[in-house]
Amino acid sequence: MARMPKRMLLLALVCWLGFVACGGPKNTDAPVSDDGQPVLVDIGKKFQITQPYFEMAFSRVPPANRYQYLTPAGKRDFLEKLAIESVYYLEGVRRRLFKAPEFKKILDLRQYSALNEEVRRELLKNITVTDEQVKAFYDQTIKHPEQVPFADIKEKLRYQLLSKALDDAYAAKKTELMAQFQVKINYELIEKIKPGDKPENYPAATEALATGADYTYTIGQLLKRIEEMPRDAKAKLKETKLAREMLEYVIGEDVVHHYAELQGLDKTAEFELRKKVVEVGTLSYVTRGEIVGHEIKATIAEAKAYYDKHVKDFVSDGETPSFEQVKDAALARASDEKQEQATRGLAQSLMAHRYPTVYFEPQIKQYLQ
């Protein structure tokens, strides 16, 4: 076989690097999905990110963090994160990781919680934060306004206020529903559940931990939730002092879930889309754990290098802390960056070789401005 000329080899390398750097080839077409929705990205002709899918995924971002994705550049960044997530999802399908017990446990818990997210989304529709409230919050919290201009931090503060207002509204709704359904909690029964104990020593699965008007929450339901919890959450259950607080939280969440079902929020097209977003995110998470791992840690030297490069990010109200003062935060952020680089690097390789990824620029420009 004839050797490729150096110029052609260099051109091929530049083209491949351009593919990786830009997240895949561009396309000027304007395709739609099978249900008529505009497609923003196609991954390997096996998965499409539509405009409604993007909006639903964005609605799952905690309100306090949404300010990062408000600009066209921020929305593009979020879109690329979804594309990377989708690539790992497809790789998980290829590896049949959806059959893994871990995936099924995490998915069940996340799908359960997803219905409560619909309640939060409904509550958020009725919450507004005015410019006057944002300015008042700025005046109360910023000690050095001359170093932190209002315009630079306005939207961040707005979404912090939205987040707190939503948490307050959700807590109030939970309290309202507990009263509406006349829920009474059997605190004595929870003391009989000792994490790590043999199942035969547990109270009967049918025994009620909470009862109310047309409502019951049993030992069996609680044990199912515990089994699905992450390892660190299970470890906390060993602290007896958390038993009452944990029980109130779990039952409160279940009452909201019960209410959502009665309202038919689990029968809507929006909830079906939310479930798909959750499924993709869950399988992607499990796949990343299998391939990349979830515990990539930075060294102290890497944390110091991160601090030196991003020192402005650590400035609080005009004051710059030393590295020692924020060492733990710098270590966490450097670890997150290292994790993201590893995750993104493999995803870009998969995009280049196994799942060709096409961004439809006209529709991205139209819907993500």
Side-chain angles (χ1 to χ4, degrees):
M1 180 181 293
R3 181 177 296 178
M4 181 182 290
K6 289 184 178 179
R7 182 176 296 179
M8 291 184 66
L9 182 61
L10 180 60
L11 180 61
L13 178 60
V14 170
C15 290
W16 185 82
L17 288 174
F19 178 99
V20 172
C22 299
K26 307 298 184 288
N27 196 299
T28 57
D29 294 338
V32 295
S33 62
D34 291 342
D35 57 353
Q37 301 298 336
V39 176
L40 306 179
V41 187
D42 181 272
I43 298 97
K45 296 184 178 180
K46 295 184 178 184
F47 187 84
Q48 296 176 327
I49 299 175
T50 64
Q51 188 268 337
Y53 185 96
F54 177 94
E55 295 297 337
M56 180 56 74
F58 184 75
S59 77
R60 303 193 71 233
V61 177
N65 297 332
R66 292 184 193 178
Y67 74 95
Q68 304 173 68
Y69 305 112
L70 297 179
T71 65
K75 291 178 181 178
R76 179 58 180 253
D77 180 50
F78 187 72
L79 179 64
E80 291 183 356
K81 289 180 187 294
L82 289 181
I84 289 172
E85 182 178 77
S86 302
V87 165
Y88 281 104
Y89 165 74
L90 290 175
E91 185 63 11
V93 172
R94 190 183 76 83
R95 298 183 182 214
R96 301 181 68 78
L97 293 177
F98 52 82
K99 290 185 172 293
E102 179 193 11
F103 167 72
K104 295 177 181 179
K105 286 181 182 180
I106 297 174
L107 180 63
D108 189 50
L109 182 59
R110 289 186 176 182
Q111 297 286 34
Y112 173 87
S113 299
L115 189 53
N116 291 31
E117 289 179 11
E118 283 293 292
V119 175
R120 291 177 71 90
R121 190 163 73 104
E122 290 295 314
L123 291 171
L124 188 58
K125 291 178 181 178
N126 298 317
I127 297 174
T128 58
V129 174
T130 66
D131 287 348
E132 290 76 17
Q133 289 173 311
V134 178
K135 184 60 168 64
F137 185 44
Y138 171 83
D139 293 337
Q140 292 169 6
T141 57
I142 303 301
K143 297 178 182 177
H144 302 285
E146 70 284 357
Q147 298 182 35
V148 187
F150 178 61
D152 292 353
I153 201 172
K154 178 180 177 180
E155 292 309 313
K156 181 177 181 179
L157 296 180
R158 184 189 304 279
Y159 278 84
Q160 286 180 0
L161 287 174
L162 270 174
S163 180
K164 184 180 185 308
L166 178 58
D167 287 344
D168 290 345
Y170 187 75
K173 187 67 177 180
K174 191 183 293 187
T175 300
E176 173 194 323
L177 292 173
M178 292 285 284
Q180 178 181 325
F181 292 116
Q182 303 170 29
V183 177
K184 295 181 180 179
I185 300 176
N186 185 347
Y187 290 105
E188 291 74 23
L189 191 57
I190 191 66
E191 298 298 331
K192 298 180 181 179
I193 301 177
K194 304 297 181 185
D197 201 357
K198 295 179 180 179
E200 56 264 30
N201 293 332
Y202 287 151
T206 54
E207 286 199 57
L209 278 166
T211 56
D214 192 30
Y215 177 79
T216 304
Y217 190 80
T218 66
I219 288 285
Q221 287 173 278
L222 177 64
L223 294 180
K224 186 174 186 293
R225 292 277 83 85
I226 291 175
E227 176 60 26
E228 293 166 345
M229 285 180 177
R231 223 174 309 171
D232 57 343
K234 287 183 183 179
K236 288 183 179 180
L237 295 183
K238 294 180 181 179
E239 302 177 36
T240 307
K241 62 181 180 181
L242 292 179
R244 176 179 288 253
E245 178 184 348
M246 180 272 294
L247 183 62
E248 290 173 348
Y249 173 80
V250 169
I251 291 176
E253 288 294 295
D254 191 70
V255 167
V256 174
H257 193 271
H258 179 62
Y259 161 79
E261 289 178 327
L262 293 177
Q263 294 296 308
L265 296 183
D266 58 334
K267 303 294 192 298
T268 66
E270 289 82 2
F271 184 62
E272 286 303 311
L273 182 57
R274 184 181 292 277
K275 287 199 298 183
K276 183 61 180 178
V277 171
V278 170
E279 177 192 342
V280 171
T282 303
L283 187 54
S284 177
Y285 172 81
V286 171
T287 307
R288 292 197 308 274
E290 285 284 323
I291 303 175
V292 181
H294 295 305
E295 298 296 329
I296 297 178
K297 300 295 183 184
T299 64
I300 294 297
E302 289 171 331
K304 180 61 166 65
Y306 181 92
Y307 168 83
D308 292 339
K309 185 178 179 181
H310 303 89
V311 64
K312 289 184 179 180
D313 294 344
F314 293 93
V315 174
S316 177
D317 197 14
E319 298 179 359
T320 303
S322 68
F323 172 68
E324 287 300 321
Q325 290 175 305
V326 294
K327 183 170 64 175
D328 291 343
L331 188 60
R333 294 186 192 182
S335 296
D336 288 345
E337 183 180 72
K338 196 172 181 179
Q339 179 86 47
E340 184 174 352
Q341 288 172 346
T343 300
R344 182 179 291 271
L346 179 57
Q348 289 171 334
S349 178
L350 290 170
M351 287 176 175
H353 299 101
R354 184 168 291 158
Y355 308 108
T357 301
V358 180
Y359 289 77
F360 297 100
E361 297 300 337
Q363 301 202 143
I364 292 173
K365 185 176 181 180
Q366 178 180 354
Y367 293 104
L368 300 190
Q369 291 300 314

